[in-house]
Amino acid sequence: MVKVIVAGYKGRMGSTAAQMVIDNPDFELVGVYDARSKDQNLNEDDRFKSQDVPAFHDLDQIKTDATVWIDFTIPTAVYENAKFALNHGISPVIGTTGMTDEQVADLQKLAKEKQVGGLIAPNFGISAVLLMQFAQQAAKYFPDVEIIEMHHDDKIDSPSGTAISTAKKIAEVRKPKQQGNPDATETLPGARGAEYEGMRIHAVRLPGLVAHEEVMFGGPGEGLTIRQDSFDRISFMTGVKVAVEKVNQYHELFVGLEHLL
Amino acid sequence: MVKVIVAGYKGRMGSTAAQMVIDNPDFELVGVYDARSKDQNLNEDDRFKSQDVPAFHDLDQIKTDATVWIDFTIPTAVYENAKFALNHGISPVIGTTGMTDEQVADLQKLAKEKQVGGLIAPNFGISAVLLMQFAQQAAKYFPDVEIIEMHHDDKIDSPSGTAISTAKKIAEVRKPKQQGNPDATETLPGARGAEYEGMRIHAVRLPGLVAHEEVMFGGPGEGLTIRQDSFDRISFMTGVKVAVEKVNQYHELFVGLEHLL
Amino acid sequence: MVKVIVAGYKGRMGSTAAQMVIDNPDFELVGVYDARSKDQNLNEDDRFKSQDVPAFHDLDQIKTDATVWIDFTIPTAVYENAKFALNHGISPVIGTTGMTDEQVADLQKLAKEKQVGGLIAPNFGISAVLLMQFAQQAAKYFPDVEIIEMHHDDKIDSPSGTAISTAKKIAEVRKPKQQGNPDATETLPGARGAEYEGMRIHAVRLPGLVAHEEVMFGGPGEGLTIRQDSFDRISFMTGVKVAVEKVNQYHELFVGLEHLL
Amino acid sequence: MVKVIVAGYKGRMGSTAAQMVIDNPDFELVGVYDARSKDQNLNEDDRFKSQDVPAFHDLDQIKTDATVWIDFTIPTAVYENAKFALNHGISPVIGTTGMTDEQVADLQKLAKEKQVGGLIAPNFGISAVLLMQFAQQAAKYFPDVEIIEMHHDDKIDSPSGTAISTAKKIAEVRKPKQQGNPDATETLPGARGAEYEGMRIHAVRLPGLVAHEEVMFGGPGEGLTIRQDSFDRISFMTGVKVAVEKVNQYHELFVGLEHLL
């Protein structure tokens, strides 16, 4: 049974995280924290009427035997929260963005001193993290790869950050190669997509889509495709759950969910 | 029972067509023709030892009650062959390429005069022809469309001719639209693919692939995808078979298998 | 400009339909109706504060120059609503379910008498309707077909109603055929899926999925796949929009969106 | 530069392997062996006229400084071949099937004694081996999984051996779970596919297909799909190449390409 405190429980991601902890038979929600709230108990919140969990709104007040601190708060609060957790031997699992590199480095130093595990994850979507891991493994054997990312048509930038991260991870292990026919020509410019170290990246934008990525590998007579689909931010909770289960096994603070998979 | 004569039966496509006619219980192979051969009977050809079908090597010699003439010969012969067929009331089904626009127009005029049906098809792949038809129908309801064509990495040109034909057919019926976010930017140039009347076309090139095309449509909360895969030229025989079945119902010469579907 | 009245505008589908009419430059919302409401004007509803559209809560009160009546009400009200519309020369576009076969027949008779077009559609999802149409067309040329439907893992019945409808439509035109190897055996029972007139249907159930269907056709050396994805009921509005645009061109009442595509 | 001898070079797989070695700039073909041949040099074989490589047809004759022995011979010869290789400090890479468990155990013992690496691989298709590895990794985080395997319609058994192997590998790490709705019913029996430890396996059979497998994982709001396509047995050469590159790093004989990936 992992005892968990959730910071930022009044917000959308924080309340979803609190619910995930409540629903998981291996976890126990032993506290919630939100500087925006005056609740003394979680049951004062309409969404959690049947619970009985102490609620805090001041870091200094917090008294808890939690071993994991889930943080979905705000950029200006997360650093102090994480410091508080580490200083009290609680492992932070942080989905809040916005810390500076310096703050992250500070926290990593503190985690090592205190011998406390922790995680800062810009993306808790396990399918995306696994896709990148698998793509990197496959690229060792299949240097020919094309990335197709697909998003809703409101998205401004292309290719997506995840597609570029995928290409970077692949490039780390892939035998350098300029793909395709050396005499290749484009009748319509852009047809072959964006070029990244000899690989090609294609961005599809359509209404109805959410966030999807496909990595295709090809070799003589065969193909391997890895695809991930994100339909809803609720998917992040699968990653938070894995982090809560594993973070106490470590004695340092990682950046990136892949370090715990 | 459709009586068929196959012209060009010594070649790869022609012999495959002869075999298809033999294997089809609704067709009867009543003659074969090839200017390159001296055979008097098809059974002199090692691949067709158990058959008993008259073989011709001179147009003037041909005596036949065939109603359909399948032609997989050569650019310099096909025009005379087709004229011969039409003049004898036989419906030509032509997979041979290389006729001039003038020759095609001549044959179309002759077919009308003689009231004989016929077909010239640059591509007998039914899956590709249906994909184009369906894409055109869907585009009436879904103006947002992206085309992804995928071929082996030896292919020189991109996008493929079929992808451009698909885009053209869609453009004929689609409500004009510049797709995607008006403020869209490409971090890596080419990511959004080639532009064709506001649509986007992406070309993937990988070893192991043969010839594949995917047309994706998106609308609020839904998507429709049509995909065709060509693994082998044997697939053309499905189209030839359909043409043989239907061509006698017409009294003119069509260009494009879609006119018979 | 098509003038539209929306019945059932207080409900989720009805309000979405009202918003769709408001947002479409070719449509004008000239009235709303809901027996559950006391509003005199649509702007009394918090979601539509900036509108100025008369609201009715009694059929007899309704005075309108609408030519289309969108109905997302309740089973006990829809028949009277449709009768009212037809009697006033307004074309009903009905998404409400629950009418008896007799009631539908009555309305169809009335529509013919009054020479008014109309539509009752159990499913306004255009991607699903097009998938069925295309599958039926393709089955004429490819008798080998497998249907894979995919839904969230809460779904109780399998295969889905849409998959069975698709199989039925295919069976109407497909050359009867028992697919696969005649000596085929299942090492694990059920592997080959459900059998429907020699075709096979497979049902996938996974968390994260919504409602998806894929129809795969295969022939020698080629394949054709049609897939539709429904992510959200908002997708129904694309179908309602098409119906509003087209229904006035007809003089009878259809059942099934496919009749207007 | 890895020096390689190819056993069984007169056969289809063996000659393809010899060609692969010749084409690879990091490998050198230093000998070929085939008990069926009388050639003294590979250049006596029409397919390899421009080569100059000694050919052997008797194990006892073989004199070579090869460090890797590729074996695509026959069940009755492979055991003696592998013993010969190991006894001469040459690492066997064996695609020949048909050895008994006892013979394999003998060879593994011998390899350890001689401290020579080796590989027996029933399947050199890297995309299939990676698919199984990735599926096993993903199943740790996604207990909900469905396997869809697709083959040409001549295939007799279903599900495929690879699909069952995949399910077994997943079952080793997956949290036991009966998937789907507990009240689920099949309107058409078999719709939900075959059951394996609570997972579901679906087998698709269509003309045009070759050998394909898709493993779909689902979690709240997301999905992960891994797919492999085998179009041609030439694909095995990618796996043989990897084995030749790596086998000398080991001091034992493995069964299964996955041990070298």
Side-chain angles (χ1 to χ4, degrees):
Chain A
M1 188 70 85
V2 186
K3 296 187 176 185
V4 182
I5 183 165
V6 173
Y9 78 99
K10 300 304 277 187
R12 195 164 71 90
M13 291 303 282
S15 65
T16 308
Q19 190 63 54
M20 182 275 291
V21 172
I22 290 165
D23 292 343
N24 193 309
D26 299 330
F27 300 164
E28 184 184 352
L29 186 67
V30 297
V32 292
Y33 165 66
D34 201 308
R36 294 168 288 184
S37 167
K38 299 274 173 236
D39 300 342
Q40 299 293 325
N41 192 297
L42 180 59
N43 58 25
E44 295 167 40
D45 185 306
D46 279 357
R47 298 166 297 182
F48 298 100
K49 282 181 181 170
S50 62
Q51 302 300 319
D52 179 19
V53 173
F56 307 97
H57 39 90
D58 204 326
L59 271 187
D60 303 334
Q61 292 175 320
I62 297 178
K63 285 208 172 70
T64 183
D65 58 347
T67 61
V68 175
W69 173 290
I70 296 176
D71 199 288
F72 283 104
T73 59
I74 51 171
T76 50
V78 57
Y79 174 69
E80 289 302 327
N81 291 351
K83 224 162 62 175
F84 176 90
L86 289 169
N87 277 323
H88 289 76
I90 310 176
S91 291
V93 169
I94 299 173
T96 318
T97 54
M99 275 191 280
T100 64
D101 289 356
E102 204 174 24
Q103 289 177 318
V104 171
D106 268 10
L107 293 175
Q108 289 190 303
K109 202 176 143 220
L110 181 60
K112 272 219 177 117
E113 272 170 36
K114 299 285 178 183
Q115 287 286 295
V116 176
L119 175 71
I120 301 170
N123 186 339
F124 274 105
I126 284 200
S127 62
V129 173
L130 287 179
L131 171 134
M132 281 189 262
Q133 279 197 339
F134 295 165
Q136 197 179 42
Q137 288 176 253
K140 291 180 202 160
Y141 308 105
F142 292 111
D144 290 278
V145 53
E146 305 243 339
I147 298 171
I148 306 174
E149 55 92 336
M150 291 163 272
H151 286 82
H152 55 88
D153 64 337
D154 290 336
K155 189 171 171 65
I156 289 178
D157 58 310
S158 71
S160 69
T162 313
I164 294 174
S165 297
T166 308
K168 272 188 191 157
K169 278 192 178 295
I170 289 172
E172 286 170 20
V173 303
R174 173 175 166 267
K175 208 170 147 176
K177 177 170 185 177
Q178 195 63 32
Q179 291 179 201
N181 189 314
D183 300 326
T185 57
E186 287 181 335
T187 323
L188 293 176
R192 284 287 289 120
E195 201 264 348
Y196 186 91
E197 301 212 2
M199 290 176 258
R200 295 291 173 159
I201 308 177
H202 312 269
V204 171
R205 297 287 175 268
L206 282 174
L209 292 177
V210 187
H212 318 259
E213 186 175 346
E214 200 167 300
V215 186
M216 294 178 68
F217 295 93
E222 69 182 326
L224 178 70
T225 304
I226 307 162
R227 177 184 174 118
Q228 74 79 223
D229 298 273
S230 298
F231 299 116
D232 193 300
R233 282 170 66 91
I234 183 75
S235 65
F236 281 20
M237 289 307 136
T238 308
V240 174
K241 179 178 149 284
V242 169
V244 169
E245 281 167 356
K246 294 195 166 181
V247 69
N248 281 328
Q249 301 165 15
Y250 298 90
H251 306 287
E252 55 182 312
L253 178 73
F254 295 105
V255 178
L257 181 60
E258 61 273 24
H259 298 283
L260 266 59
L261 296 188
Chain B
M1 187 71 86
V2 186
K3 297 188 176 185
V4 182
I5 182 166
V6 173
Y9 78 100
K10 300 303 276 188
R12 195 164 70 90
M13 291 303 282
S15 64
T16 308
Q19 190 63 53
M20 181 274 289
V21 173
I22 291 165
D23 293 343
N24 193 309
D26 299 330
F27 300 163
E28 183 183 353
L29 186 66
V30 297
V32 292
Y33 165 66
D34 201 307
R36 293 168 288 185
S37 167
K38 298 274 174 233
D39 300 343
Q40 299 293 325
N41 192 296
L42 180 59
N43 59 24
E44 294 167 42
D45 185 308
D46 279 357
R47 298 165 296 182
F48 298 100
K49 282 181 180 170
S50 62
Q51 302 300 318
D52 178 19
V53 173
F56 306 98
H57 38 91
D58 204 325
L59 271 187
D60 303 335
Q61 292 175 320
I62 296 179
K63 286 209 171 70
T64 183
D65 57 348
T67 62
V68 176
W69 174 291
I70 296 176
D71 200 290
F72 283 103
T73 58
I74 52 173
T76 51
V78 58
Y79 174 68
E80 289 302 328
N81 291 351
K83 223 162 62 174
F84 176 91
L86 289 169
N87 277 324
H88 290 76
I90 310 175
S91 291
V93 169
I94 299 174
T96 318
T97 54
M99 273 191 282
T100 64
D101 289 354
E102 204 175 27
Q103 288 177 319
V104 172
D106 267 10
L107 294 175
Q108 289 189 304
K109 200 175 144 222
L110 181 60
K112 272 214 177 126
E113 274 170 36
K114 301 283 177 183
Q115 287 286 296
V116 177
L119 175 71
I120 301 170
N123 185 341
F124 274 105
I126 283 201
S127 63
V129 174
L130 288 178
L131 172 134
M132 281 189 261
Q133 279 197 339
F134 296 165
Q136 198 179 41
Q137 289 176 251
K140 290 178 202 162
Y141 309 104
F142 293 111
D144 290 278
V145 52
E146 306 243 338
I147 299 171
I148 306 174
E149 55 93 339
M150 291 163 272
H151 285 83
H152 56 87
D153 64 338
D154 289 337
K155 189 169 172 63
I156 289 177
D157 58 310
S158 70
S160 70
T162 313
I164 293 174
S165 298
T166 308
K168 272 187 191 157
K169 277 190 179 294
I170 289 172
E172 286 170 19
V173 303
R174 173 175 167 266
K175 208 171 147 175
K177 177 168 186 177
Q178 194 63 33
Q179 293 181 198
N181 189 312
D183 300 326
T185 58
E186 288 181 336
T187 324
L188 293 176
R192 284 289 286 121
E195 202 265 346
Y196 185 90
E197 301 211 2
M199 291 176 259
R200 297 291 175 159
I201 309 177
H202 312 269
V204 170
R205 297 289 175 267
L206 282 174
L209 292 176
V210 186
H212 319 259
E213 185 176 346
E214 201 167 298
V215 186
M216 295 176 68
F217 295 93
E222 69 182 326
L224 179 70
T225 303
I226 308 162
R227 177 184 173 118
Q228 75 79 223
D229 298 273
S230 298
F231 300 117
D232 194 299
R233 282 171 66 91
I234 183 75
S235 64
F236 281 20
M237 288 306 136
T238 308
V240 174
K241 179 179 150 284
V242 170
V244 170
E245 281 166 357
K246 295 195 165 181
V247 71
N248 280 328
Q249 301 165 14
Y250 298 90
H251 306 287
E252 55 181 312
L253 177 73
F254 296 105
V255 178
L257 182 58
E258 60 273 25
H259 298 282
L260 266 60
L261 296 188
Chain C
M1 187 73 83
V2 186
K3 296 188 176 185
V4 182
I5 182 165
V6 173
Y9 78 99
K10 300 302 277 188
R12 195 162 72 89
M13 291 302 283
S15 63
T16 309
Q19 190 63 55
M20 181 275 289
V21 173
I22 290 165
D23 293 344
N24 193 309
D26 299 330
F27 300 163
E28 182 184 354
L29 187 66
V30 297
V32 291
Y33 165 66
D34 201 308
R36 294 169 288 186
S37 167
K38 298 273 175 237
D39 300 343
Q40 299 293 326
N41 192 297
L42 181 59
N43 58 25
E44 295 167 42
D45 185 307
D46 279 356
R47 298 165 297 182
F48 298 100
K49 283 181 181 170
S50 62
Q51 302 300 317
D52 178 19
V53 173
F56 306 98
H57 39 91
D58 204 326
L59 271 186
D60 302 335
Q61 292 176 322
I62 297 178
K63 285 208 173 71
T64 183
D65 58 347
T67 61
V68 175
W69 173 290
I70 296 176
D71 200 290
F72 283 103
T73 58
I74 52 173
T76 51
V78 57
Y79 174 68
E80 289 302 329
N81 292 351
K83 224 162 60 174
F84 176 92
L86 289 169
N87 278 323
H88 289 77
I90 309 175
S91 291
V93 169
I94 299 173
T96 318
T97 54
M99 274 191 281
T100 64
D101 288 355
E102 205 175 24
Q103 288 177 320
V104 171
D106 267 10
L107 294 176
Q108 290 190 303
K109 202 175 143 222
L110 181 59
K112 272 213 176 126
E113 274 170 36
K114 299 285 178 184
Q115 288 286 297
V116 177
L119 175 71
I120 301 170
N123 186 339
F124 274 105
I126 283 201
S127 63
V129 174
L130 288 178
L131 172 134
M132 281 189 262
Q133 279 197 339
F134 296 165
Q136 198 179 42
Q137 289 175 253
K140 290 179 201 161
Y141 308 104
F142 293 111
D144 290 278
V145 52
E146 306 243 339
I147 299 172
I148 306 174
E149 54 93 337
M150 291 163 273
H151 285 83
H152 56 87
D153 65 338
D154 289 336
K155 190 171 170 62
I156 289 178
D157 58 311
S158 71
S160 70
T162 314
I164 293 174
S165 297
T166 308
K168 272 187 191 156
K169 278 192 177 293
I170 289 172
E172 285 170 20
V173 303
R174 173 175 166 265
K175 206 170 149 178
K177 177 169 186 179
Q178 196 62 33
Q179 293 180 198
N181 189 313
D183 300 326
T185 57
E186 289 181 335
T187 324
L188 292 176
R192 283 289 286 121
E195 201 265 348
Y196 185 91
E197 302 213 1
M199 290 176 258
R200 297 292 175 158
I201 309 177
H202 311 269
V204 170
R205 297 289 174 267
L206 282 175
L209 293 176
V210 187
H212 319 260
E213 186 175 345
E214 200 167 301
V215 186
M216 295 177 66
F217 295 93
E222 70 182 325
L224 178 70
T225 303
I226 308 162
R227 178 184 173 118
Q228 74 78 223
D229 298 273
S230 297
F231 300 117
D232 194 300
R233 281 170 66 92
I234 184 73
S235 65
F236 280 20
M237 289 307 135
T238 307
V240 174
K241 178 179 151 285
V242 170
V244 169
E245 282 166 356
K246 295 194 165 182
V247 71
N248 280 328
Q249 302 165 15
Y250 298 91
H251 306 287
E252 55 182 314
L253 177 73
F254 297 105
V255 178
L257 182 59
E258 60 273 24
H259 297 282
L260 265 58
L261 295 188
Chain D
M1 187 71 86
V2 186
K3 296 187 176 186
V4 182
I5 182 166
V6 173
Y9 79 98
K10 299 304 276 187
R12 196 164 71 90
M13 291 302 283
S15 64
T16 308
Q19 191 62 53
M20 182 275 289
V21 172
I22 290 165
D23 293 344
N24 193 308
D26 299 329
F27 300 163
E28 184 184 354
L29 186 66
V30 297
V32 292
Y33 165 67
D34 202 307
R36 293 168 289 185
S37 167
K38 298 272 175 237
D39 300 343
Q40 299 294 324
N41 193 296
L42 181 59
N43 59 25
E44 295 167 40
D45 185 308
D46 279 356
R47 300 165 295 183
F48 299 100
K49 281 180 181 171
S50 63
Q51 303 299 318
D52 179 17
V53 172
F56 306 97
H57 38 89
D58 204 327
L59 271 187
D60 303 334
Q61 292 175 323
I62 297 177
K63 286 208 172 69
T64 183
D65 58 348
T67 62
V68 175
W69 173 290
I70 295 176
D71 199 288
F72 283 104
T73 59
I74 51 173
T76 51
V78 58
Y79 174 68
E80 289 302 327
N81 291 351
K83 222 160 67 174
F84 176 90
L86 289 169
N87 277 323
H88 289 77
I90 309 174
S91 291
V93 169
I94 299 173
T96 318
T97 54
M99 274 192 282
T100 63
D101 288 355
E102 203 174 25
Q103 288 176 320
V104 172
D106 267 12
L107 294 175
Q108 289 189 304
K109 201 175 144 220
L110 181 60
K112 271 216 177 124
E113 274 171 34
K114 300 285 178 182
Q115 287 286 296
V116 177
L119 175 71
I120 301 170
N123 186 340
F124 275 105
I126 282 199
S127 62
V129 173
L130 288 179
L131 172 135
M132 282 189 261
Q133 279 197 340
F134 295 165
Q136 197 179 42
Q137 288 175 252
K140 291 179 202 162
Y141 308 104
F142 293 111
D144 290 278
V145 52
E146 305 244 339
I147 298 172
I148 306 174
E149 55 93 337
M150 291 163 272
H151 285 83
H152 55 88
D153 66 336
D154 290 337
K155 188 170 173 65
I156 289 178
D157 58 311
S158 70
S160 70
T162 314
I164 293 175
S165 298
T166 308
K168 273 187 190 157
K169 277 191 179 295
I170 289 173
E172 286 170 19
V173 302
R174 173 175 166 266
K175 206 169 148 178
K177 175 166 187 180
Q178 195 62 33
Q179 292 180 201
N181 188 313
D183 300 325
T185 57
E186 288 182 336
T187 322
L188 292 176
R192 285 287 287 121
E195 200 265 346
Y196 186 91
E197 303 212 359
M199 290 175 258
R200 296 290 175 159
I201 308 177
H202 312 269
V204 171
R205 297 288 174 268
L206 282 175
L209 292 177
V210 187
H212 318 260
E213 186 175 345
E214 200 167 300
V215 186
M216 294 178 68
F217 295 93
E222 69 181 326
L224 178 70
T225 303
I226 307 162
R227 178 185 173 117
Q228 73 79 222
D229 298 274
S230 297
F231 300 116
D232 194 299
R233 283 171 65 92
I234 183 76
S235 64
F236 282 20
M237 289 307 136
T238 308
V240 175
K241 179 179 148 284
V242 169
V244 169
E245 282 166 357
K246 293 195 166 182
V247 69
N248 281 327
Q249 301 165 14
Y250 298 90
H251 305 288
E252 56 182 311
L253 178 73
F254 295 104
V255 179
L257 182 59
E258 61 273 25
H259 298 283
L260 266 59
L261 295 189

